[in-house]
Amino acid sequence: NAPSPASSFQVNRFSKATKSFILRSSSLPSNVFYKNSVKNSVKNNFQETSIPRGGSVSSLHSTAGAQNEGTQKQLDTEALGKYALAAGIQMSLFTGAFKLLDVLIASIPAIDASSIPFPAVAFLFYATALKSRVFNPLNNQRPDRAKAVDGEKSAGFQDRVMPSWTPPGVFFPIMWLLIIGPIRAYTSALIFEANGNVFCDATLLSFIFHLTCGDVWNTINNSERRYGASVPGVICVVASVVFAATQYYAVDPFAGKLLGATGLWLVTASALIVDTWRLNPGPDGERDPLYPVVGEAKTEFEWFSSKE
């Protein structure tokens, strides 16, 4: 039987529709592949950017930001400038205070600088060594002594991953208060007598420079917790004590050797700082660069900061 005109029309219509579908479908695999690739990429990126343990969505955003930055960590030039300015202020204030002390002593006829008791001069330098940070505008906080003795967390001590060979907390106050402090005081008093009983003296100011380096380093390590920048910082502290010891040695060899001996403790502390840096990588899993990085901390002058 010959097909009717109606059935022929339906067959032709079906053939055209099938052909059109096949033609449209010929470009489908590439589009589907592209969409699936984008979908899988987003999914994989989300899975790889995991939320840190104990973190939140904000932690996820900061982690993603750190990954986007990659290895491009910008030098914090503002922080470097503030470190240098704070050191200059501290040195200037100490120089002015020592000069004023010399003038006051010279202006009182009843007092002769050479007659000042040695223990009094040593006590002055002991107080200077312990409280030098009062002339520094940065936040130079030290670890809390009581918490350190008890092994509790404090700024710069047990508030980060510490090396297994870290001495007990009670060891640090003993070293600074009973050994390092008295040595600094005694040797500086010797230089005061040997240099004509003058406080504002270039040799003694080299010791003040050593204290200044230590105060700025305390800001970097304890207050701001810049693990990378604290490494060259503590090396500067060691270099400054070597410089001060050579200046002392030129005036009084015994005083120079004794002050230089404190460098042995500082070298040990430096090794501790380097190991601490190694054990505390940043959010991206990499160790911090050996310089202050923008965003890892904010350097402020504590003298001018508002306290709530």
Side-chain angles (χ1 to χ4, degrees), residues 85-166:
L85 180 58
I89 291 173
Q90 185 171 0
M91 287 296 299
S92 298
L93 290 177
F94 262 115
T95 301
F98 280 2
K99 185 63 178 179
L100 180 61
L101 188 57
D102 288 333
V103 171
L104 288 176
I105 293 174
S107 63
I108 302 176
I111 299 180
D112 183 72
S114 61
S115 64
I116 300 176
F118 185 89
V121 176
F123 178 79
L124 174 64
F125 283 110
Y126 182 77
T128 298
L130 292 184
K131 297 296 181 180
S132 60
R133 62 185 179 275
V134 300
F135 283 160
N136 193 296
L138 297 171
N139 180 6
N140 314 119
Q141 65 175 332
R142 269 63 167 173
D144 186 275
R145 192 176 307 150
K147 290 183 178 180
V149 171
D150 295 336
E152 299 178 5
K153 290 183 179 180
S154 178
F157 184 78
Q158 299 297 352
D159 61 343
R160 61 203 70 184
V161 179
M162 304 289 291
S164 59
W165 56 276
T166 303

Side-chain angles (χ1 to χ4, degrees), residues 232-261:
V234 76
I235 293 175
C236 289
V237 176
V238 175
S240 66
V241 76
V242 172
F243 173 71
T246 57
Q247 299 302 303
Y248 275 34
Y249 184 86
V251 176
D252 185 328
F254 177 71
K257 292 177 181 178
L258 202 55
L259 183 63

Side-chain angles (χ1 to χ4, degrees), residues 69-90:
E69 289 178 3
T71 57
Q72 296 179 355
K73 297 186 177 181
Q74 185 179 355
L75 173 66
D76 195 340
T77 55
E78 180 183 352
L80 288 178
K82 288 182 177 179
Y83 298 153
L85 180 58
I89 291 173
Q90 185 171 0

Side-chain angles (χ1 to χ4, degrees), residues 98 102 191-192 195-196 198-207 251:
F98 280 2
D102 288 333
I191 298 300
F192 173 78
N195 262 6
V198 175
F199 286 103
C200 190
D201 175 77
T203 304
L204 290 174
L205 288 178
S206 69
F207 168 65
V251 176

Side-chain angles (χ1 to χ4, degrees), residues 217-246:
W217 175 81
N218 272 287
T219 296
I220 299 171
N221 184 69
N222 299 340
S223 303
E224 300 178 356
R225 297 176 64 178
R226 298 182 189 259
Y227 304 133
S230 66
V231 173
V234 76
I235 293 175
C236 289
V237 176
V238 175
S240 66
V241 76
V242 172
F243 173 71
T246 57

